[in-house]
Amino acid sequence: MITPVVIDLEWNHPLRGRPYAPGLPGEIIQIGCAKLDDSCRVTDTLDLMIKPVYYPKMNKEIQKLTLITDADLATGIRFQDAVKRLRSWCGEDDSYAFVSWGPDDLLMLERNMLKFGLDISWLPKTYDAQLMFDDMEMRENRHWALNYAMYHFEEKPDGAHNALADVLSTVKILKHLDLAEGLTDDYFRCDRRDD
């Protein structure tokens, strides 16, 4: 039995007019996760604020969207410690899979881990809830915003646009889909690594 771990990330960008760090289009500042049981109920959550190194000041556009402030970032932990806590919280075995709204979070996680010299080989299979929503519900072969999926199912968001709130909103969408089927179909995978 695979334990679904719904994951969402928030990342910061450099201030307007400042350059991007090589290989880092965004620096992760928050990791949110929820473990689900076989009935798509949340059994545990993880919410980690990260103190950025490359983009230490909150980009005002990101702050407006997420409500994350410079003061919040100052309370964060190192990215390396956040990844260690994430891995420990998930468990050391292969009995879980990540589920994210679209492929961007996995790609950003991998880029940040590589930038910080961290091993990415332990990352589990990752499934695209956005693709599941389109394939199982809409059937239009397009990308859908999480807010639209919430509207479609007449669900209410779980607070401001931040990692844990978006995770809990994604869980609400997954309850309307056949997640068990989605986790057995490689069509919905966003990771490209060999097994």
Side-chain angles (χ1 to χ4, degrees), residues 1 3 87-88 90-97 122 124:
M1 169 72 182
T3 299
R87 187 174 185 185
S88 174
C90 287
E92 295 294 328
D93 57 20
D94 293 332
S95 65
Y96 65 96
W122 66 270

mmCIF file of all heavy atoms in Angstrom, residues 1 3 87-88 90-97 122 124:
data_model
loop_
_atom_site.group_PDB
_atom_site.id
_atom_site.type_symbol
_atom_site.label_atom_id
_atom_site.label_comp_id
_atom_site.label_asym_id
_atom_site.label_seq_id
_atom_site.Cartn_x
_atom_site.Cartn_y
_atom_site.Cartn_z
ATOM 1 N N MET A 1 0.843 -1.190 0.000
ATOM 2 C CA MET A 1 0.000 0.000 0.000
ATOM 3 C C MET A 1 0.885 1.249 0.000
ATOM 4 O O MET A 1 1.742 1.407 0.864
ATOM 5 C CB MET A 1 -0.903 -0.034 1.240
ATOM 6 C CG MET A 1 -1.641 1.227 1.522
ATOM 7 S SD MET A 1 -2.956 1.483 0.332
ATOM 8 C CE MET A 1 -3.589 3.026 0.861
ATOM 9 N N THR A 3 1.469 5.120 0.608
ATOM 10 C CA THR A 3 0.922 6.243 1.360
ATOM 11 C C THR A 3 1.094 7.510 0.524
ATOM 12 O O THR A 3 2.221 7.907 0.223
ATOM 13 C CB THR A 3 1.660 6.410 2.709
ATOM 14 O OG1 THR A 3 1.495 5.236 3.481
ATOM 15 C CG2 THR A 3 1.131 7.624 3.471
ATOM 16 N N ARG A 87 12.381 14.144 4.793
ATOM 17 C CA ARG A 87 12.686 12.725 4.539
ATOM 18 C C ARG A 87 12.371 11.870 5.762
ATOM 19 O O ARG A 87 11.779 10.795 5.640
ATOM 20 C CB ARG A 87 14.153 12.572 4.134
ATOM 21 C CG ARG A 87 14.488 11.167 3.705
ATOM 22 C CD ARG A 87 15.885 11.064 3.166
ATOM 23 N NE ARG A 87 16.125 9.718 2.659
ATOM 24 C CZ ARG A 87 17.285 9.310 2.207
ATOM 25 N NH1 ARG A 87 18.318 10.132 2.162
ATOM 26 N NH2 ARG A 87 17.421 8.074 1.765
ATOM 27 N N SER A 88 12.728 12.353 6.930
ATOM 28 C CA SER A 88 12.449 11.615 8.162
ATOM 29 C C SER A 88 10.939 11.497 8.392
ATOM 30 O O SER A 88 10.437 10.440 8.777
ATOM 31 C CB SER A 88 13.117 12.330 9.342
ATOM 32 O OG SER A 88 12.761 11.719 10.546
ATOM 33 N N CYS A 90 8.553 11.560 6.154
ATOM 34 C CA CYS A 90 7.968 10.638 5.167
ATOM 35 C C CYS A 90 8.235 9.193 5.539
ATOM 36 O O CYS A 90 7.402 8.323 5.322
ATOM 37 C CB CYS A 90 8.540 10.912 3.770
ATOM 38 S SG CYS A 90 7.932 12.413 2.993
ATOM 39 N N GLY A 91 9.413 8.916 6.078
ATOM 40 C CA GLY A 91 9.812 7.547 6.404
ATOM 41 C C GLY A 91 10.927 7.105 5.486
ATOM 42 O O GLY A 91 11.056 7.599 4.360
ATOM 43 N N GLU A 92 11.705 6.210 5.942
ATOM 44 C CA GLU A 92 12.886 5.779 5.199
ATOM 45 C C GLU A 92 12.608 4.686 4.165
ATOM 46 O O GLU A 92 13.473 4.324 3.400
ATOM 47 C CB GLU A 92 13.971 5.288 6.171
ATOM 48 C CG GLU A 92 14.521 6.382 7.069
ATOM 49 C CD GLU A 92 15.281 7.452 6.312
ATOM 50 O OE1 GLU A 92 15.914 7.148 5.283
ATOM 51 O OE2 GLU A 92 15.223 8.619 6.744
ATOM 52 N N ASP A 93 11.394 4.149 4.144
ATOM 53 C CA ASP A 93 11.114 3.077 3.180
ATOM 54 C C ASP A 93 10.507 3.667 1.907
ATOM 55 O O ASP A 93 10.391 4.872 1.755
ATOM 56 C CB ASP A 93 10.192 2.021 3.794
ATOM 57 C CG ASP A 93 8.883 2.618 4.287
ATOM 58 O OD1 ASP A 93 8.522 3.719 3.829
ATOM 59 O OD2 ASP A 93 8.227 1.991 5.125
ATOM 60 N N ASP A 94 10.145 2.806 0.992
ATOM 61 C CA ASP A 94 9.586 3.234 -0.294
ATOM 62 C C ASP A 94 8.068 3.097 -0.326
ATOM 63 O O ASP A 94 7.486 2.875 -1.376
ATOM 64 C CB ASP A 94 10.179 2.398 -1.432
ATOM 65 C CG ASP A 94 11.663 2.657 -1.620
ATOM 66 O OD1 ASP A 94 12.104 3.776 -1.304
ATOM 67 O OD2 ASP A 94 12.362 1.748 -2.086
ATOM 68 N N SER A 95 7.419 3.244 0.814
ATOM 69 C CA SER A 95 5.978 2.995 0.869
ATOM 70 C C SER A 95 5.143 4.262 0.672
ATOM 71 O O SER A 95 3.965 4.273 0.982
ATOM 72 C CB SER A 95 5.611 2.348 2.203
ATOM 73 O OG SER A 95 5.877 3.248 3.261
ATOM 74 N N TYR A 96 5.731 5.325 0.169
ATOM 75 C CA TYR A 96 4.976 6.551 -0.043
ATOM 76 C C TYR A 96 5.287 7.125 -1.426
ATOM 77 O O TYR A 96 6.276 6.765 -2.059
ATOM 78 C CB TYR A 96 5.279 7.586 1.043
ATOM 79 C CG TYR A 96 6.700 8.086 1.040
ATOM 80 C CD1 TYR A 96 7.030 9.268 0.388
ATOM 81 C CD2 TYR A 96 7.710 7.372 1.656
ATOM 82 C CE1 TYR A 96 8.338 9.721 0.353
ATOM 83 C CE2 TYR A 96 9.010 7.817 1.633
ATOM 84 C CZ TYR A 96 9.322 8.991 0.986
ATOM 85 O OH TYR A 96 10.616 9.432 0.940
ATOM 86 N N ALA A 97 4.412 8.003 -1.865
ATOM 87 C CA ALA A 97 4.602 8.715 -3.133
ATOM 88 C C ALA A 97 4.149 10.145 -2.923
ATOM 89 O O ALA A 97 3.205 10.407 -2.178
ATOM 90 C CB ALA A 97 3.789 8.065 -4.245
ATOM 91 N N TRP A 122 16.717 9.672 -3.382
ATOM 92 C CA TRP A 122 15.713 9.118 -2.468
ATOM 93 C C TRP A 122 14.300 9.646 -2.760
ATOM 94 O O TRP A 122 13.326 9.102 -2.237
ATOM 95 C CB TRP A 122 16.071 9.422 -1.013
ATOM 96 C CG TRP A 122 16.016 10.885 -0.683
ATOM 97 C CD1 TRP A 122 17.030 11.779 -0.773
ATOM 98 C CD2 TRP A 122 14.865 11.619 -0.227
ATOM 99 N NE1 TRP A 122 16.601 13.030 -0.406
ATOM 100 C CE2 TRP A 122 15.271 12.964 -0.063
ATOM 101 C CE3 TRP A 122 13.539 11.283 0.047
ATOM 102 C CZ2 TRP A 122 14.399 13.964 0.374
ATOM 103 C CZ3 TRP A 122 12.673 12.283 0.473
ATOM 104 C CH2 TRP A 122 13.105 13.601 0.640
ATOM 105 N N PRO A 124 10.713 10.116 -3.905
ATOM 106 C CA PRO A 124 9.810 9.052 -4.361
ATOM 107 C C PRO A 124 9.171 9.392 -5.703
ATOM 108 O O PRO A 124 9.333 10.495 -6.237
ATOM 109 C CB PRO A 124 8.743 9.042 -3.257
ATOM 110 C CG PRO A 124 8.663 10.469 -2.831
ATOM 111 C CD PRO A 124 10.100 10.976 -2.891
#
